[in-house]
Amino acid sequence: MIEIRNVTKRYGSLTVLHDISLTIPEGEIMAIVGPSGAGKTTLLQIAGSLDRPDSGSVFFDNTDIFSLKDRKLSEFRNRNIGFVFQFHQLLPEFSALENVAMPALIAGDNKKTAFEKARKLLDDLGLAARADHKPAQMSGGEKQRTAIARALINSPKIVFADEPTGSLDSRNRDEIQDILSGLRDTLHQTFVIVTHDPCMASIADRTVAMADGRITSETIADMKNFI
């Protein structure tokens, strides 16, 4: 699905990514692990088109995404990529339903269609009773489930998650892990997850380890564990 070719990224004199090449297969959960400062989040942001590399390319279904003009790139991102962040990034003045519907409205869905899709996703994730609640009225796990619903609203081909359980307790962490695993199994959804959490990494089909801006290893899980 995504092919990252010889990507290098610098911030001033600091090289954060050194000539990274990586293929992200369709229908898998990929975990990117490594110590702080390894370049994990930078790689995720470039693969997700949120940041541009200094050199190298990112191909999404054979499209060189950084050859697109900014407006076309934003449209491409909205329709093809979902994001889940450590601190949910929900808009506090809007309800869960409105937060989830927002990307669909931006994509051009009418309000009725966007809200119907958002309500179904909230229901699927066990949040039907929270649809009209604002983030301040929800628990940490509920907010993160809402963020997952928002990431899925446009049926993206891939979801990038940056430490999605990093701010959660163990019960909510386990709940989010189960949700992501279930989405991979039922929807064949592709996830790339940056994580420090060994439990979260354990659900991945493929684990990529990084250190000092380089990929140090890539491990494919024994798939019989997922049957």
Side-chain angles (χ1 to χ4, degrees):
M1 177 182 292
I2 294 180
E3 187 177 356
I4 298 166
R5 300 180 186 173
N6 306 112
V7 161
T8 295
K9 180 66 178 180
R10 302 179 185 87
Y11 294 105
S13 61
L14 177 65
T15 301
V16 180
L17 297 178
H18 297 265
D19 197 35
I20 294 284
S21 293
L22 180 67
T23 298
I24 301 172
E26 186 174 3
E28 284 191 0
I29 295 178
M30 175 183 284
I32 301 178
V33 301
S36 296
K40 305 183 300 297
T41 293
T42 301
L43 178 59
L44 181 144
Q45 290 174 337
I46 289 174
S49 77
L50 293 175
D51 199 1
R52 291 179 180 267
D54 291 307
S55 61
S57 304
V58 176
F59 287 84
F60 194 115
D61 286 345
N62 299 314
T63 296
D64 181 354
I65 61 174
F66 292 119
S67 69
L68 301 174
K69 300 294 186 183
D70 286 347
R71 181 176 176 180
K72 289 292 185 183
L73 181 58
S74 294
E75 292 173 356
F76 178 90
R77 183 188 306 122
N78 176 257
R79 293 184 179 278
N80 291 281
I81 302 173
F83 295 95
V84 180
F85 303 99
Q86 179 175 352
F87 296 106
H88 61 79
Q89 303 294 341
L90 300 176
L91 298 172
E93 65 271 29
F94 293 111
S95 68
L97 184 68
E98 291 166 333
N99 268 284
V100 174
M102 195 71 65
L105 294 169
I106 292 170
D109 284 0
N110 62 53
K111 185 174 180 180
K112 181 176 184 292
T113 298
F115 275 58
E116 284 177 351
K117 291 197 298 187
R119 198 174 292 280
K120 183 180 186 306
L121 279 166
L122 288 170
D123 187 35
D124 290 345
L125 292 174
L127 292 168
R130 291 286 190 253
D132 297 321
H133 287 63
K134 293 183 178 180
Q137 299 170 299
M138 295 188 288
S139 70
E142 289 169 342
K143 285 184 278 194
Q144 201 64 312
R145 278 186 282 157
T146 302
I148 291 171
R150 180 183 58 189
L152 295 171
I153 187 72
N154 288 334
S155 301
K157 294 184 177 180
I158 189 165
V159 174
F160 291 96
D162 192 0
E163 297 286 358
T165 59
S167 63
L168 301 179
D169 59 29
S170 59
R171 181 180 64 82
N172 283 305
R173 178 200 66 195
D174 292 346
E175 184 178 77
I176 297 301
Q177 287 176 197
D178 289 344
I179 287 170
L180 298 185
S181 292
L183 290 168
R184 185 270 316 279
D185 294 339
T186 59
L187 301 180
H188 306 291
Q189 182 66 59
T190 306
F191 288 94
V192 178
I193 304 170
V194 164
T195 184
H196 285 95
D197 184 351
C199 292
M200 174 59 76
S202 72
I203 72 171
D205 308 299
R206 187 182 305 262
T207 301
V208 173
M210 293 186 67
D212 300 321
R214 295 178 171 86
I215 292 174
T216 57
S217 68
E218 185 173 347
T219 305
I220 300 174
D222 183 350
M223 291 308 295
K224 67 185 179 184
N225 294 332
F226 299 100
I227 296 175

